[in-house]
Amino acid sequence: MNINTKFIFVTGGVCSSLGKGISIASLGLLLEGHGCNVSIIKMDPYLNIDPGTMSPFQHGEVYVTEDGAETDLDLGYYERFTSGEYTRKNSVTTGQIYHAVIQRERRGDYLGRTVQVIPHITDEIKSRIYNVAAAYDLDFVMVEIGGTVGDIESIPFLEAIRQIRQELGSNRVLNVHLTLVPTLSGAGEQKTKPTQHSVKELMELGIIPDILLCRSSQPLSADLKSKIALFCNVSERNVISAPDIKGSIYQIPFMFHENEYDSIVLEHFKMDVKRFSVPAWDKFMKSLLNPTQEVRIAVVGKYISLQDSYRSIYEAIIHGAAANNARLDIVRVDSEDLEKTSELVEEIFQEVDGILVPGGFGDRGIEGKIMAISRARTKGMPFFGICLGLQCAVIEFGRAMCGLTGANSKEFDPGTPHPVISLLEDQEIVLEKGGTMRLGAYPCRLGDGTRVRAIYGKELVMERHRHRYEFTNRYREAYEKGGMVFGGTNPAVNLVETIELPNHPWFIATQFHPEFKSKPTDPHPLFRDFIRASIEYREKSNPSR
Ligand code: GLN
């Protein structure tokens, strides 16, 4: 481990959903802007090994890293905001910690000792943090402790970070506490008491916060800051106001920079506050905030009512729109609603410029997605299908254009006469659910003369996967006769990775998840081109809009 690596721990107080993930990712971007290398670890206090087995209703999106870890969606923010490399090392859960310790106990590694939360669980937590520091030559390892201080389940993590401060000293460790300063609607007054209580709770666990990052609806006044400083034992300068932002989450790093969060962090470590520059981010923000055109994209899914189930999809669409200088309007369409009435399909899609069908599991809402895809295909409207979206497009096309009546995926109809989407043999025998899908990055070769090849501008790409089912290769010929082109395939095992319709303005679907690799500063080519085509469709189909 680099003996100069510094550790920043971020805990959360008062309540959840304060944006800890975005705030730590934003600080990461700012520190990179000062020329530092950073990595961020998410520590989740739940007992699942990873969120892969959790429902989107419980957890939001499952984010997938290049090396195939199924992680918390905060990893997505880390990757989008910073340039660090994120792997399964960056996503730690209580489940993983206990699993490792118990396996060691069964092997007899503890040599007759009693295995305990302290030191064995806390040692395992610390080793996960030190491992990231050791794997890369880093200036900063930042650690986000999931949950809220006061939760029983996060106590071992807090004890571990207390010990790290004890081991390394305050010149290598900084504690940030993200907290809420609510405004009471009746009195219109900002209240500091919840923050005082949260800090007290933290101190009882032996953790002294160095910085309080205070979320509030309005900026904190100087008076309020000094009150918080006095009661919470931090310097006034280190009480940082983080008010709600009206526009985009991508403005948060600049708001932090204006409030000197990055300088305060560097000062703590007695590091020079070097010249700050984030030119790629500046460029992205300029296009995001000064759109010259408009585009409206429908996302058709089953978990539309939830904010975070398609988080990376929404972000990748935002990046694609900014790259085209377009103001974006995302219309969230519940695929189950579409099944109720076909008039609704017309009504909704008349008003949009492109349709995206994202990934998903299970048969609910499938026919609604197929109706949306059929509308896009027959009306020449841009369509982008991702994972399950590709599978639905294959079903729709098989039924409509290849004479495969009743075509379906074996996932939804195991007895279908035409299983155009099915399991590979090695997946048929898989019994365990956790971590057994086709996960992480695989190569994809893009065929000569295909649209995907032109969009990517190269022959070989690496894209991330999270699925069990595949296109059934014996139907390839029937589909090619119907007019479908299999643009991208896996070079080693010949699995279908992308489909396209050359006779359609923009009809592309991918078995992989390109949304996981889109960044504001490096929008994914497929999303960028999908938005470009949608703007073109808008101009042609309805120039008055
Ligand atoms: N349910 C499908 C499969 O397992 C699609 C998965 C997805 O969209 N991520 O193959």
Side-chain angles (χ1 to χ4, degrees), residues 359-361 387-388 391 411 466-469 513:
F361 296 83
C387 205
L388 180 67
Q391 300 176 354
E411 181 180 4
R466 181 171 185 257
H467 60 109
R468 266 183 226 291
Y469 290 82
H513 289 269

Side-chain angles (χ1 to χ4, degrees), residues 215-507:
R215 296 276 289 108
S216 55
S217 51
Q218 298 299 322
L220 297 185
S221 65
D223 276 357
L224 218 69
K225 278 190 183 181
S226 65
K227 184 173 176 189
I228 293 173
L230 177 68
F231 282 94
C232 298
N233 204 32
V234 290
S235 75
E236 219 168 296
R237 175 158 164 72
N238 288 15
V239 178
I240 301 173
S241 177
D244 290 350
I245 263 193
K246 299 243 158 21
S248 153
I249 56 158
Y250 294 113
Q251 288 165 275
I252 291 171
F254 287 153
M255 186 254 282
F256 281 175
H257 183 61
E258 270 165 30
N259 293 346
E260 299 184 42
Y261 185 16
D262 42 342
S263 311
I264 293 168
V265 168
L266 293 169
E267 280 165 21
H268 170 92
F269 292 115
K270 306 202 171 32
M271 290 167 79
D272 289 342
V273 179
K274 293 201 205 94
R275 211 173 61 82
F276 171 74
S277 124
V278 283
W281 197 268
D282 284 335
K283 188 168 157 251
F284 161 71
M285 290 307 292
K286 214 172 263 164
S287 353
L288 182 75
L289 300 177
N290 302 293
T292 52
Q293 344 198 40
E294 301 213 1
V295 69
R296 190 178 290 160
I297 301 296
V299 176
V300 183
K302 182 165 66 168
Y303 306 114
I304 275 319
S305 59
L306 305 170
Q307 275 292 322
D308 277 335
S309 303
Y310 304 113
R311 182 46 50 209
S312 295
I313 296 272
Y314 296 143
E315 299 305 327
I317 299 175
I318 292 171
H319 309 158
N324 284 281
N325 294 306
R327 173 176 296 116
L328 172 69
D329 182 12
I330 296 182
V331 183
R332 298 163 192 225
V333 182
D334 188 327
S335 50
E336 285 185 281
D337 288 347
L338 294 179
E339 291 169 3
K340 291 180 201 140
T341 128
S342 55
E343 285 94 71
L344 194 64
V345 176
E346 266 322 295
E347 204 182 295
I348 292 176
F349 295 126
Q350 226 155 41
E351 295 294 315
V352 306
D353 312 316
I355 296 180
L356 188 148
V357 177
F361 296 83
D363 63 355
R364 266 196 312 116
I366 291 296
E367 294 303 324
K369 291 178 187 175
I370 291 175
M371 287 161 89
I373 294 168
S374 162
R375 167 78 170 61
R377 185 177 59 77
T378 51
K379 295 270 165 44
M381 173 186 271
F383 164 74
F384 192 3
I386 292 176
C387 205
L388 180 67
L390 173 139
Q391 300 176 354
C392 289
V394 163
I395 296 168
E396 194 278 330
F397 196 79
R399 290 178 189 173
M401 303 301 289
C402 311
L404 301 172
T405 313
N408 215 330
S409 163
K410 277 202 154 181
E411 181 180 4
F412 318 130
D413 179 6
T416 169
H418 294 295
V420 291
I421 304 290
S422 57
L423 286 178
L424 289 183
E425 261 169 41
D426 58 356
Q427 278 287 347
E428 297 261 16
I429 51 168
V430 168
L431 295 177
E432 286 205 2
K433 289 270 184 283
T436 55
M437 280 187 260
R438 187 159 181 250
L439 289 167
Y442 286 91
C444 168
R445 171 159 296 135
L446 307 170
D448 251 352
T450 60
R451 197 168 286 169
V452 276
R453 172 79 168 264
I455 293 171
Y456 276 96
K458 52 183 166 185
E459 189 185 353
L460 206 64
V461 296
M462 291 290 283
E463 291 283 8
R464 299 183 196 171
H465 294 249
R466 181 171 185 257
H467 60 109
R468 266 183 226 291
Y469 290 82
E470 307 281 350
F471 180 82
T472 313
N473 268 339
R474 73 185 141 92
Y475 285 100
R476 246 199 229 194
E477 215 181 298
Y479 275 77
E480 276 163 353
K481 274 200 191 121
M484 183 170 277
V485 166
F486 298 95
T489 43
N490 178 302
V493 283
N494 199 27
L495 291 173
V496 167
E497 292 283 9
T498 79
I499 60 169
E500 58 188 73
L501 297 180
N503 295 329
H504 186 285
W506 210 99
F507 192 103

